[in-house]
Amino acid sequence: MTTQEYCAALEQALSPMPPEERQETIRYYLEFLEDANESERAALGTPTELAQRILRENGLSAAAPFPENPPKRKKRTAIFVALACTFYLWLPLLLTWYILLLTALICIAVIPLSLVCAAGLLLFVGIAILFQDAALGLFSVGCGIFILGLCVLLALPLWKACQAVARFTAFSTKKLWQALFDTKTKGADRT
């Protein structure tokens, strides 16, 4: 067994230790094994035996030094069972969340649409009555042009707001997915 293989097996066996201490211990034994002769290597024993001694010295449980983590399939099955049993709680909340985000997108998109419609109507009415009442016609055309200018000024901020809501929706969906199904998160590692 090479030094790297021995240290990899030792690191696996020292999994109950905190990560910082485990890395420090592995570094120590990696340096030791590189400089040690055959008799010193043999005195260490197997990686499992050495790990049990180290765990005992550090006050960790040597009787059960290697707690077996349930496989991912069992964790996912438990998650699916919990989700199925509580769907009447989380489904309405989730639907409400996405409906609110969709409503925000619709409200932001309706603002320029309504302004363009108002500007078009004012321009049409202004041109239609321009020859009957010049002052009122010019006022209507001016208001229509003003609203079109306002639409141009608001186009970029409203577009950015739509993008922000869409990014937030994607971000919250990704975080929700990770919280439910990612077994590599800190919470899943502790269980």
Side-chain angles (χ1 to χ4, degrees):
M1 179 181 286
T2 67
T3 302
Q4 283 75 21
E5 291 172 346
Y6 187 92
C7 286
L10 180 63
E11 184 173 11
Q12 179 74 25
L14 290 175
S15 61
M17 286 181 77
E20 299 84 23
E21 291 179 33
R22 182 172 57 232
Q23 291 301 322
E24 186 177 318
T25 304
I26 295 302
R27 265 188 251 114
Y28 169 78
Y29 281 103
L30 184 62
E31 290 175 10
F32 176 81
L33 289 170
E34 287 175 353
D35 297 333
N37 59 31
E38 287 299 319
S39 63
E40 292 172 332
R41 286 180 182 218
L44 289 178
T46 67
T48 306
E49 294 168 350
L50 178 60
Q52 287 178 349
R53 280 194 306 252
I54 293 170
L55 290 173
R56 267 195 306 271
E57 290 170 3
N58 287 321
L60 297 173
S61 174
F66 314 113
E68 290 191 23
N69 293 330
K72 290 181 182 180
R73 179 175 287 260
K74 288 184 181 178
K75 287 182 182 179
R76 288 192 179 150
T77 303
I79 289 171
F80 285 128
V81 168
L83 288 175
C85 291
T86 60
F87 80 95
Y88 60 90
L89 294 173
W90 59 263
L91 186 62
L93 294 173
L94 190 65
L95 287 175
T96 303
W97 174 249
Y98 283 111
I99 289 170
L100 285 173
L101 291 172
L102 180 64
T103 304
L105 274 175
I106 290 171
C107 289
I108 292 171
V110 164
I111 293 171
L113 182 63
S114 62
L115 287 175
V116 167
C117 289
L121 183 63
L122 283 170
L123 287 173
F124 177 74
V125 168
I127 292 172
I129 64 169
L130 187 61
F131 297 107
Q132 294 174 354
D133 188 3
L136 187 58
L138 287 175
F139 179 74
S140 292
V141 169
C143 286
I145 292 172
F146 172 76
I147 292 176
L148 281 177
L150 190 61
C151 286
V152 169
L153 287 176
L154 290 177
L156 184 62
L158 290 174
W159 177 252
K160 294 291 185 184
C162 283
Q163 286 179 332
V165 170
R167 277 195 304 266
F168 181 72
T169 303
F171 172 77
S172 64
T173 303
K174 180 180 176 185
K175 287 297 181 182
L176 177 67
W177 187 262
Q178 285 177 346
L180 291 176
F181 301 111
D182 189 13
T183 58
K184 293 182 182 179
T185 59
K186 291 181 181 179
D189 287 342
R190 292 180 188 156
T191 58

